């Protein structure tokens, strides 16, 4: 993983077009084949036990060759890890393992030496007050009422616990495809005879994803400041959450008073909560877009073969590295391109609306509002949380320029049509701007608004006719009974 996972490091200068200048992963490609034979996709030693340290024993004693130089503690840990992999019988991801690893990553602390800690009463009170004030300010810039029934201050470990159900909903669809591919890497003539082996491989696939997701979520917990940083509702509905420990780190980097940073981030959290609470179709729309994209990805089976063929139970991090090398490839089909556009546009519209609304609420009240806005924009544009999370877990990279386009569109709509007309567009997904509209925000804003009065009249007349026919049928039925 990079030193600044998910783009939460200090913001670099944003490229002009938002797409150029993005860092490429220098470690491209999966692990090498290691001299695997063509007849056996897993190599001469299917699960890589020969790669264990000290494997010098003779053929008469295979266990000496496999575990010769391991001390009892290492041997026990290796068997425990392998046992967890092989005994798993759940869904496509071993979420118990993911949770365990995420908690371990959080316990280790961040690169700057900051350790997680329970949230004290003072921080809890400060977060509650910030969210209350944020909601008061937002009342004047949006027609959507408050969406936060409670405000909470989380530790990093509490963030992990609270958001894992949402990660499960996001990741399971693509993990299911990998689980299927685990069986497909066997030659067709062997698949009918390899039922137990396929089951074991799928268990290992669940462990691979569990380790990768646990590492990613644990690292993300060290940087996020709330429950909606990735533009998706990761926490429980109606619960605005902030992480005081991580907020303090942002304030130090920027030289901005902690109270102002907390309040600005509370505005963003509260704005997200309003949107997700009062646009009932939005959550399903976003998660459905992720699932639609996941259905169209392919798994690079050659990298999967390498990962399985070189499996070493004493080095489970190799499984994680195999996933990080890019095992997923989107299919170049019209359906997949449409799914990607829907997801990119939906996330951009959410983030753009929040950006525009929060700026309107904060610009005259917080002296650091512009600096905070630009910092958060650059973090997203240079590889923010949503982009990097999806890139790691399902091979999806979001185009960062969409955030600025969407924010400009929402701000222009406010100027041209007012707050109520702007927010009314969230009543149905078909009313929202499209990807094409984000390319031409001014065109969307100044387009002649459709007159739905005639359509409403036609629908009303049709309803009256239906009601009249129903009454006539009831009257006829009553006459027949007499």
């Amino acid at each position: 993983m990079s030193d600044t996972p998910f783009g939460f490091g200090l913001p670099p200068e944003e490229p002009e077009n938002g797409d150029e200048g993005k860092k490429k992963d220098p470690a491209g490609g999966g692990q090498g084949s290691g001299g695997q034979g063509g007849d056996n996709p897993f190599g001469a030693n299917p699960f890589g036990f020969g790669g264990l340290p000290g494997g010098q024993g003779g053929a008469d004693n295979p266990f000496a060759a496999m575990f010769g130089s391991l001390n009892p503690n290492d041997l026990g840990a290796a068997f425990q890890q392998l046992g967890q992999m092989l005994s798993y019988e759940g869904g496509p991801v071993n979420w118990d393992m993911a949770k365990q690893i995420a908690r371990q990553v959080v316990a280790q602390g961040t690169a700057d030496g900051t350790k997680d800690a329970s949230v004290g009463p003072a921080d809890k009170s400060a977060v509650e007050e910030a969210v209350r004030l944020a909601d008061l300010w937002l009342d004047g810039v949006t027609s959507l009422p408050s969406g936060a029934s409670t405000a909470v201050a989380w530790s990093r470990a509490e963030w992990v616990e609270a958001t894992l159900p949402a990660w499960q909903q996001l990741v399971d669809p693509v993990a299911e495809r990998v689980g299927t591919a685990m069986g497909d890497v066997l030659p067709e003539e062997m698949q009918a005879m390899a039922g137990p082996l396929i089951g074991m491989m799928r268990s290992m696939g669940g462990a691979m994803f569990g380790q990768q997701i646990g590492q990613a979520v644990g690292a993300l917990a060290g940087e996020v400041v709330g429950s909606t940083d990735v533009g998706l509702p990761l926490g429980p509905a109606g619960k605005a959450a902030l992480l005081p420990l991580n907020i303090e780190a942002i304030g130090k980097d920027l030289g901005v008073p902690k109270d102002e940073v907390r309040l600005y981030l509370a505005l963003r959290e509260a704005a997200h909560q309003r949107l997700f609470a009062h646009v009932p179709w939005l959550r399903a729309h976003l998660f459905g877009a992720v699932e639609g994209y996941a259905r169209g990805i392919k798994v690079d089976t050659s990298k999967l073969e390498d990962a399985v063929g070189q499996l070493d139970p004493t080095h489970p991090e190799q499984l994680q590295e195999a996933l990080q090398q890019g095992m997923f490839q989107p299919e170049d089909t019209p359906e997949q391109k449409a799914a990607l556009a829907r997801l990119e546009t939906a996330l951009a519209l959410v983030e753009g609306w929040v950006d525009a609304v929060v700026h309107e609420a904060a610009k005259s009240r917080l002296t650091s509002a512009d600096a905070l806005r630009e910092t958060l924009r650059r973090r997203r544009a240079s590889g923010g949380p949503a982009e990097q999370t999806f890139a790691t877990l399902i091979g999806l990279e979001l185009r960062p320029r969409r955030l600025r386009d969407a924010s400009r569109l929402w701000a222009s709509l406010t100027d041209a049509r007012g707050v109520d007309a702007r927010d009314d567009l969230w009543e149905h997904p078909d009313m929202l701007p499209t990807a094409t509209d984000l390319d031409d925000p001014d065109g969307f804003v100044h387009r002649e608004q459709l007159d739905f009065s005639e359509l409403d009249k036609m629908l009303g007349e049709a309803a009256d006719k239906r009601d009249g026919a129903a009454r006539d049928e009831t009257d006829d039925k009553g006459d027949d009974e007499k």
Side-chain angles (χ1 to χ4, degrees), residues 36-68:
Q36 294 178 10
D39 294 334
N40 185 349
F42 307 118
N45 188 354
F47 297 107
F49 289 117
L52 293 173
Q56 302 295 327
D60 293 338
N61 188 351
F63 291 100
M66 290 164 58
F67 304 114

PDB file of all heavy atoms in Angstrom, residues 36-68:
ATOM      1  N   GLN A  36       6.275 -22.352 -13.789  1.00  0.00           N
ATOM      2  CA  GLN A  36       5.163 -23.292 -13.781  1.00  0.00           C
ATOM      3  C   GLN A  36       5.123 -24.056 -15.088  1.00  0.00           C
ATOM      4  O   GLN A  36       5.353 -23.543 -16.155  1.00  0.00           O
ATOM      5  CB  GLN A  36       3.844 -22.543 -13.601  1.00  0.00           C
ATOM      6  CG  GLN A  36       3.710 -21.884 -12.249  1.00  0.00           C
ATOM      7  CD  GLN A  36       2.429 -21.132 -12.152  1.00  0.00           C
ATOM      8  OE1 GLN A  36       1.576 -21.257 -13.000  1.00  0.00           O
ATOM      9  NE2 GLN A  36       2.265 -20.342 -11.133  1.00  0.00           N
ATOM     10  N   GLY A  37       4.759 -25.300 -15.008  1.00  0.00           N
ATOM     11  CA  GLY A  37       4.633 -26.112 -16.206  1.00  0.00           C
ATOM     12  C   GLY A  37       3.331 -25.861 -16.904  1.00  0.00           C
ATOM     13  O   GLY A  37       2.328 -25.533 -16.296  1.00  0.00           O
ATOM     14  N   GLY A  38       3.313 -26.048 -18.211  1.00  0.00           N
ATOM     15  CA  GLY A  38       2.106 -25.769 -18.972  1.00  0.00           C
ATOM     16  C   GLY A  38       0.986 -26.727 -18.660  1.00  0.00           C
ATOM     17  O   GLY A  38      -0.168 -26.397 -18.808  1.00  0.00           O
ATOM     18  N   ASP A  39       1.300 -27.963 -18.218  1.00  0.00           N
ATOM     19  CA  ASP A  39       0.249 -28.939 -17.969  1.00  0.00           C
ATOM     20  C   ASP A  39      -0.417 -28.733 -16.625  1.00  0.00           C
ATOM     21  O   ASP A  39      -1.483 -29.258 -16.376  1.00  0.00           O
ATOM     22  CB  ASP A  39       0.834 -30.366 -18.032  1.00  0.00           C
ATOM     23  CG  ASP A  39       1.305 -30.713 -19.430  1.00  0.00           C
ATOM     24  OD1 ASP A  39       0.777 -30.127 -20.395  1.00  0.00           O
ATOM     25  OD2 ASP A  39       2.205 -31.558 -19.547  1.00  0.00           O
ATOM     26  N   ASN A  40       0.205 -28.012 -15.747  1.00  0.00           N
ATOM     27  CA  ASN A  40      -0.335 -27.816 -14.405  1.00  0.00           C
ATOM     28  C   ASN A  40      -0.386 -26.326 -14.112  1.00  0.00           C
ATOM     29  O   ASN A  40       0.638 -25.703 -13.894  1.00  0.00           O
ATOM     30  CB  ASN A  40       0.554 -28.521 -13.373  1.00  0.00           C
ATOM     31  CG  ASN A  40      -0.046 -28.443 -11.977  1.00  0.00           C
ATOM     32  OD1 ASN A  40      -1.006 -27.708 -11.748  1.00  0.00           O
ATOM     33  ND2 ASN A  40       0.522 -29.186 -11.035  1.00  0.00           N
ATOM     34  N   PRO A  41      -1.567 -25.741 -14.120  1.00  0.00           N
ATOM     35  CA  PRO A  41      -1.653 -24.291 -13.935  1.00  0.00           C
ATOM     36  C   PRO A  41      -1.158 -23.824 -12.581  1.00  0.00           C
ATOM     37  O   PRO A  41      -0.936 -22.650 -12.367  1.00  0.00           O
ATOM     38  CB  PRO A  41      -3.152 -24.000 -14.088  1.00  0.00           C
ATOM     39  CG  PRO A  41      -3.825 -25.282 -13.755  1.00  0.00           C
ATOM     40  CD  PRO A  41      -2.902 -26.351 -14.235  1.00  0.00           C
ATOM     41  N   PHE A  42      -0.972 -24.740 -11.615  1.00  0.00           N
ATOM     42  CA  PHE A  42      -0.514 -24.345 -10.293  1.00  0.00           C
ATOM     43  C   PHE A  42       0.979 -24.589 -10.100  1.00  0.00           C
ATOM     44  O   PHE A  42       1.511 -24.354  -9.031  1.00  0.00           O
ATOM     45  CB  PHE A  42      -1.284 -25.102  -9.204  1.00  0.00           C
ATOM     46  CG  PHE A  42      -2.757 -24.964  -9.373  1.00  0.00           C
ATOM     47  CD1 PHE A  42      -3.558 -26.061  -9.601  1.00  0.00           C
ATOM     48  CD2 PHE A  42      -3.343 -23.718  -9.341  1.00  0.00           C
ATOM     49  CE1 PHE A  42      -4.913 -25.914  -9.764  1.00  0.00           C
ATOM     50  CE2 PHE A  42      -4.708 -23.572  -9.504  1.00  0.00           C
ATOM     51  CZ  PHE A  42      -5.485 -24.673  -9.718  1.00  0.00           C
ATOM     52  N   GLY A  43       1.663 -25.100 -11.112  1.00  0.00           N
ATOM     53  CA  GLY A  43       3.084 -25.372 -10.966  1.00  0.00           C
ATOM     54  C   GLY A  43       3.316 -26.753 -10.378  1.00  0.00           C
ATOM     55  O   GLY A  43       2.402 -27.477 -10.000  1.00  0.00           O
ATOM     56  N   ALA A  44       4.583 -27.117 -10.264  1.00  0.00           N
ATOM     57  CA  ALA A  44       4.916 -28.450  -9.776  1.00  0.00           C
ATOM     58  C   ALA A  44       4.554 -28.623  -8.317  1.00  0.00           C
ATOM     59  O   ALA A  44       4.288 -29.725  -7.855  1.00  0.00           O
ATOM     60  CB  ALA A  44       6.420 -28.704  -9.962  1.00  0.00           C
ATOM     61  N   ASN A  45       4.566 -27.553  -7.554  1.00  0.00           N
ATOM     62  CA  ASN A  45       4.218 -27.610  -6.140  1.00  0.00           C
ATOM     63  C   ASN A  45       3.012 -26.710  -5.931  1.00  0.00           C
ATOM     64  O   ASN A  45       3.144 -25.515  -5.725  1.00  0.00           O
ATOM     65  CB  ASN A  45       5.410 -27.125  -5.307  1.00  0.00           C
ATOM     66  CG  ASN A  45       5.178 -27.353  -3.822  1.00  0.00           C
ATOM     67  OD1 ASN A  45       4.107 -27.751  -3.415  1.00  0.00           O
ATOM     68  ND2 ASN A  45       6.203 -27.076  -3.034  1.00  0.00           N
ATOM     69  N   PRO A  46       1.787 -27.261  -6.016  1.00  0.00           N
ATOM     70  CA  PRO A  46       0.599 -26.439  -6.177  1.00  0.00           C
ATOM     71  C   PRO A  46       0.456 -25.288  -5.200  1.00  0.00           C
ATOM     72  O   PRO A  46       0.100 -24.214  -5.575  1.00  0.00           O
ATOM     73  CB  PRO A  46      -0.544 -27.454  -5.997  1.00  0.00           C
ATOM     74  CG  PRO A  46       0.039 -28.752  -6.403  1.00  0.00           C
ATOM     75  CD  PRO A  46       1.470 -28.695  -6.000  1.00  0.00           C
ATOM     76  N   PHE A  47       0.717 -25.494  -3.939  1.00  0.00           N
ATOM     77  CA  PHE A  47       0.448 -24.436  -2.971  1.00  0.00           C
ATOM     78  C   PHE A  47       1.723 -23.844  -2.392  1.00  0.00           C
ATOM     79  O   PHE A  47       1.710 -23.217  -1.350  1.00  0.00           O
ATOM     80  CB  PHE A  47      -0.475 -24.938  -1.872  1.00  0.00           C
ATOM     81  CG  PHE A  47      -1.791 -25.331  -2.431  1.00  0.00           C
ATOM     82  CD1 PHE A  47      -2.155 -26.654  -2.548  1.00  0.00           C
ATOM     83  CD2 PHE A  47      -2.662 -24.369  -2.918  1.00  0.00           C
ATOM     84  CE1 PHE A  47      -3.366 -27.000  -3.097  1.00  0.00           C
ATOM     85  CE2 PHE A  47      -3.870 -24.719  -3.472  1.00  0.00           C
ATOM     86  CZ  PHE A  47      -4.222 -26.052  -3.560  1.00  0.00           C
ATOM     87  N   GLY A  48       2.851 -24.058  -3.074  1.00  0.00           N
ATOM     88  CA  GLY A  48       4.052 -23.319  -2.746  1.00  0.00           C
ATOM     89  C   GLY A  48       4.688 -23.676  -1.421  1.00  0.00           C
ATOM     90  O   GLY A  48       5.467 -22.906  -0.881  1.00  0.00           O
ATOM     91  N   PHE A  49       4.399 -24.863  -0.853  1.00  0.00           N
ATOM     92  CA  PHE A  49       4.981 -25.180   0.442  1.00  0.00           C
ATOM     93  C   PHE A  49       6.494 -25.278   0.375  1.00  0.00           C
ATOM     94  O   PHE A  49       7.180 -25.063   1.350  1.00  0.00           O
ATOM     95  CB  PHE A  49       4.414 -26.491   0.999  1.00  0.00           C
ATOM     96  CG  PHE A  49       2.994 -26.373   1.428  1.00  0.00           C
ATOM     97  CD1 PHE A  49       1.996 -27.107   0.819  1.00  0.00           C
ATOM     98  CD2 PHE A  49       2.646 -25.492   2.443  1.00  0.00           C
ATOM     99  CE1 PHE A  49       0.684 -26.973   1.234  1.00  0.00           C
ATOM    100  CE2 PHE A  49       1.328 -25.364   2.843  1.00  0.00           C
ATOM    101  CZ  PHE A  49       0.347 -26.122   2.240  1.00  0.00           C
ATOM    102  N   GLY A  50       7.012 -25.615  -0.824  1.00  0.00           N
ATOM    103  CA  GLY A  50       8.458 -25.723  -0.962  1.00  0.00           C
ATOM    104  C   GLY A  50       9.151 -24.400  -0.756  1.00  0.00           C
ATOM    105  O   GLY A  50      10.345 -24.348  -0.510  1.00  0.00           O
ATOM    106  N   GLY A  51       8.405 -23.325  -0.853  1.00  0.00           N
ATOM    107  CA  GLY A  51       9.001 -22.011  -0.678  1.00  0.00           C
ATOM    108  C   GLY A  51       9.140 -21.608   0.774  1.00  0.00           C
ATOM    109  O   GLY A  51       9.615 -20.513   1.077  1.00  0.00           O
ATOM    110  N   LEU A  52       8.722 -22.476   1.691  1.00  0.00           N
ATOM    111  CA  LEU A  52       8.858 -22.143   3.096  1.00  0.00           C
ATOM    112  C   LEU A  52      10.325 -22.125   3.492  1.00  0.00           C
ATOM    113  O   LEU A  52      11.146 -22.847   2.927  1.00  0.00           O
ATOM    114  CB  LEU A  52       8.113 -23.172   3.966  1.00  0.00           C
ATOM    115  CG  LEU A  52       6.609 -23.156   3.824  1.00  0.00           C
ATOM    116  CD1 LEU A  52       6.017 -24.323   4.603  1.00  0.00           C
ATOM    117  CD2 LEU A  52       6.036 -21.859   4.316  1.00  0.00           C
ATOM    118  N   PRO A  53      10.703 -21.338   4.471  1.00  0.00           N
ATOM    119  CA  PRO A  53      12.095 -21.286   4.886  1.00  0.00           C
ATOM    120  C   PRO A  53      12.597 -22.634   5.332  1.00  0.00           C
ATOM    121  O   PRO A  53      11.914 -23.386   6.028  1.00  0.00           O
ATOM    122  CB  PRO A  53      12.065 -20.294   6.068  1.00  0.00           C
ATOM    123  CG  PRO A  53      10.826 -19.492   5.877  1.00  0.00           C
ATOM    124  CD  PRO A  53       9.860 -20.407   5.219  1.00  0.00           C
ATOM    125  N   GLY A  54      13.807 -22.935   4.934  1.00  0.00           N
ATOM    126  CA  GLY A  54      14.444 -24.159   5.403  1.00  0.00           C
ATOM    127  C   GLY A  54      13.905 -25.418   4.799  1.00  0.00           C
ATOM    128  O   GLY A  54      14.057 -26.489   5.373  1.00  0.00           O
ATOM    129  N   GLY A  55      13.271 -25.359   3.641  1.00  0.00           N
ATOM    130  CA  GLY A  55      12.691 -26.554   3.056  1.00  0.00           C
ATOM    131  C   GLY A  55      13.752 -27.430   2.406  1.00  0.00           C
ATOM    132  O   GLY A  55      13.831 -27.538   1.196  1.00  0.00           O
ATOM    133  N   GLN A  56      14.590 -28.097   3.178  1.00  0.00           N
ATOM    134  CA  GLN A  56      15.700 -28.877   2.649  1.00  0.00           C
ATOM    135  C   GLN A  56      15.526 -30.374   2.877  1.00  0.00           C
ATOM    136  O   GLN A  56      16.397 -31.151   2.544  1.00  0.00           O
ATOM    137  CB  GLN A  56      17.023 -28.421   3.317  1.00  0.00           C
ATOM    138  CG  GLN A  56      17.320 -26.943   3.112  1.00  0.00           C
ATOM    139  CD  GLN A  56      17.568 -26.603   1.673  1.00  0.00           C
ATOM    140  OE1 GLN A  56      18.110 -27.397   0.913  1.00  0.00           O
ATOM    141  NE2 GLN A  56      17.155 -25.410   1.258  1.00  0.00           N
ATOM    142  N   GLY A  57      14.428 -30.787   3.479  1.00  0.00           N
ATOM    143  CA  GLY A  57      14.268 -32.187   3.796  1.00  0.00           C
ATOM    144  C   GLY A  57      14.123 -33.056   2.563  1.00  0.00           C
ATOM    145  O   GLY A  57      13.785 -32.599   1.492  1.00  0.00           O
ATOM    146  N   GLY A  58      14.351 -34.360   2.685  1.00  0.00           N
ATOM    147  CA  GLY A  58      14.270 -35.270   1.569  1.00  0.00           C
ATOM    148  C   GLY A  58      12.854 -35.708   1.319  1.00  0.00           C
ATOM    149  O   GLY A  58      11.934 -35.423   2.080  1.00  0.00           O
ATOM    150  N   ALA A  59      12.673 -36.464   0.222  1.00  0.00           N
ATOM    151  CA  ALA A  59      11.341 -36.910  -0.169  1.00  0.00           C
ATOM    152  C   ALA A  59      10.754 -37.861   0.849  1.00  0.00           C
ATOM    153  O   ALA A  59       9.543 -37.999   0.947  1.00  0.00           O
ATOM    154  CB  ALA A  59      11.407 -37.571  -1.542  1.00  0.00           C
ATOM    155  N   ASP A  60      11.620 -38.554   1.624  1.00  0.00           N
ATOM    156  CA  ASP A  60      11.103 -39.495   2.609  1.00  0.00           C
ATOM    157  C   ASP A  60      10.413 -38.796   3.767  1.00  0.00           C
ATOM    158  O   ASP A  60       9.661 -39.409   4.509  1.00  0.00           O
ATOM    159  CB  ASP A  60      12.242 -40.358   3.159  1.00  0.00           C
ATOM    160  CG  ASP A  60      12.815 -41.282   2.085  1.00  0.00           C
ATOM    161  OD1 ASP A  60      12.086 -41.538   1.103  1.00  0.00           O
ATOM    162  OD2 ASP A  60      13.969 -41.707   2.235  1.00  0.00           O
ATOM    163  N   ASN A  61      10.670 -37.517   3.947  1.00  0.00           N
ATOM    164  CA  ASN A  61      10.065 -36.776   5.055  1.00  0.00           C
ATOM    165  C   ASN A  61       9.547 -35.439   4.540  1.00  0.00           C
ATOM    166  O   ASN A  61      10.205 -34.411   4.687  1.00  0.00           O
ATOM    167  CB  ASN A  61      11.077 -36.559   6.171  1.00  0.00           C
ATOM    168  CG  ASN A  61      10.422 -35.965   7.421  1.00  0.00           C
ATOM    169  OD1 ASN A  61       9.267 -35.563   7.387  1.00  0.00           O
ATOM    170  ND2 ASN A  61      11.175 -35.918   8.519  1.00  0.00           N
ATOM    171  N   PRO A  62       8.364 -35.434   3.917  1.00  0.00           N
ATOM    172  CA  PRO A  62       7.860 -34.196   3.317  1.00  0.00           C
ATOM    173  C   PRO A  62       7.641 -33.093   4.342  1.00  0.00           C
ATOM    174  O   PRO A  62       7.779 -31.924   4.039  1.00  0.00           O
ATOM    175  CB  PRO A  62       6.545 -34.618   2.656  1.00  0.00           C
ATOM    176  CG  PRO A  62       6.150 -35.872   3.368  1.00  0.00           C
ATOM    177  CD  PRO A  62       7.411 -36.546   3.743  1.00  0.00           C
ATOM    178  N   PHE A  63       7.288 -33.461   5.593  1.00  0.00           N
ATOM    179  CA  PHE A  63       7.049 -32.416   6.583  1.00  0.00           C
ATOM    180  C   PHE A  63       8.334 -31.710   6.971  1.00  0.00           C
ATOM    181  O   PHE A  63       8.342 -30.522   7.273  1.00  0.00           O
ATOM    182  CB  PHE A  63       6.371 -33.013   7.825  1.00  0.00           C
ATOM    183  CG  PHE A  63       4.976 -33.441   7.564  1.00  0.00           C
ATOM    184  CD1 PHE A  63       4.671 -34.771   7.334  1.00  0.00           C
ATOM    185  CD2 PHE A  63       3.942 -32.508   7.533  1.00  0.00           C
ATOM    186  CE1 PHE A  63       3.368 -35.164   7.068  1.00  0.00           C
ATOM    187  CE2 PHE A  63       2.634 -32.900   7.277  1.00  0.00           C
ATOM    188  CZ  PHE A  63       2.351 -34.241   7.045  1.00  0.00           C
ATOM    189  N   ALA A  64       9.457 -32.458   6.948  1.00  0.00           N
ATOM    190  CA  ALA A  64      10.737 -31.806   7.218  1.00  0.00           C
ATOM    191  C   ALA A  64      11.064 -30.829   6.117  1.00  0.00           C
ATOM    192  O   ALA A  64      11.608 -29.751   6.359  1.00  0.00           O
ATOM    193  CB  ALA A  64      11.845 -32.861   7.346  1.00  0.00           C
ATOM    194  N   ALA A  65      10.730 -31.193   4.879  1.00  0.00           N
ATOM    195  CA  ALA A  65      10.993 -30.289   3.763  1.00  0.00           C
ATOM    196  C   ALA A  65      10.120 -29.050   3.852  1.00  0.00           C
ATOM    197  O   ALA A  65      10.537 -27.948   3.498  1.00  0.00           O
ATOM    198  CB  ALA A  65      10.739 -31.015   2.439  1.00  0.00           C
ATOM    199  N   MET A  66       8.907 -29.233   4.332  1.00  0.00           N
ATOM    200  CA  MET A  66       7.978 -28.116   4.361  1.00  0.00           C
ATOM    201  C   MET A  66       8.227 -27.194   5.540  1.00  0.00           C
ATOM    202  O   MET A  66       8.166 -25.977   5.417  1.00  0.00           O
ATOM    203  CB  MET A  66       6.535 -28.649   4.425  1.00  0.00           C
ATOM    204  CG  MET A  66       6.060 -29.321   3.155  1.00  0.00           C
ATOM    205  SD  MET A  66       4.587 -30.321   3.410  1.00  0.00           S
ATOM    206  CE  MET A  66       3.454 -29.125   4.046  1.00  0.00           C
ATOM    207  N   PHE A  67       8.512 -27.747   6.718  1.00  0.00           N
ATOM    208  CA  PHE A  67       8.527 -26.931   7.929  1.00  0.00           C
ATOM    209  C   PHE A  67       9.821 -27.070   8.727  1.00  0.00           C
ATOM    210  O   PHE A  67       9.871 -26.779   9.913  1.00  0.00           O
ATOM    211  CB  PHE A  67       7.352 -27.314   8.845  1.00  0.00           C
ATOM    212  CG  PHE A  67       6.026 -27.202   8.171  1.00  0.00           C
ATOM    213  CD1 PHE A  67       5.249 -28.320   7.927  1.00  0.00           C
ATOM    214  CD2 PHE A  67       5.540 -25.966   7.778  1.00  0.00           C
ATOM    215  CE1 PHE A  67       4.020 -28.207   7.321  1.00  0.00           C
ATOM    216  CE2 PHE A  67       4.302 -25.853   7.166  1.00  0.00           C
ATOM    217  CZ  PHE A  67       3.551 -26.974   6.930  1.00  0.00           C
ATOM    218  N   GLY A  68      10.889 -27.521   8.080  1.00  0.00           N
ATOM    219  CA  GLY A  68      12.124 -27.889   8.769  1.00  0.00           C
ATOM    220  C   GLY A  68      12.653 -26.851   9.730  1.00  0.00           C
ATOM    221  O   GLY A  68      13.013 -27.172  10.856  1.00  0.00           O
TER     222      GLY A  68
END
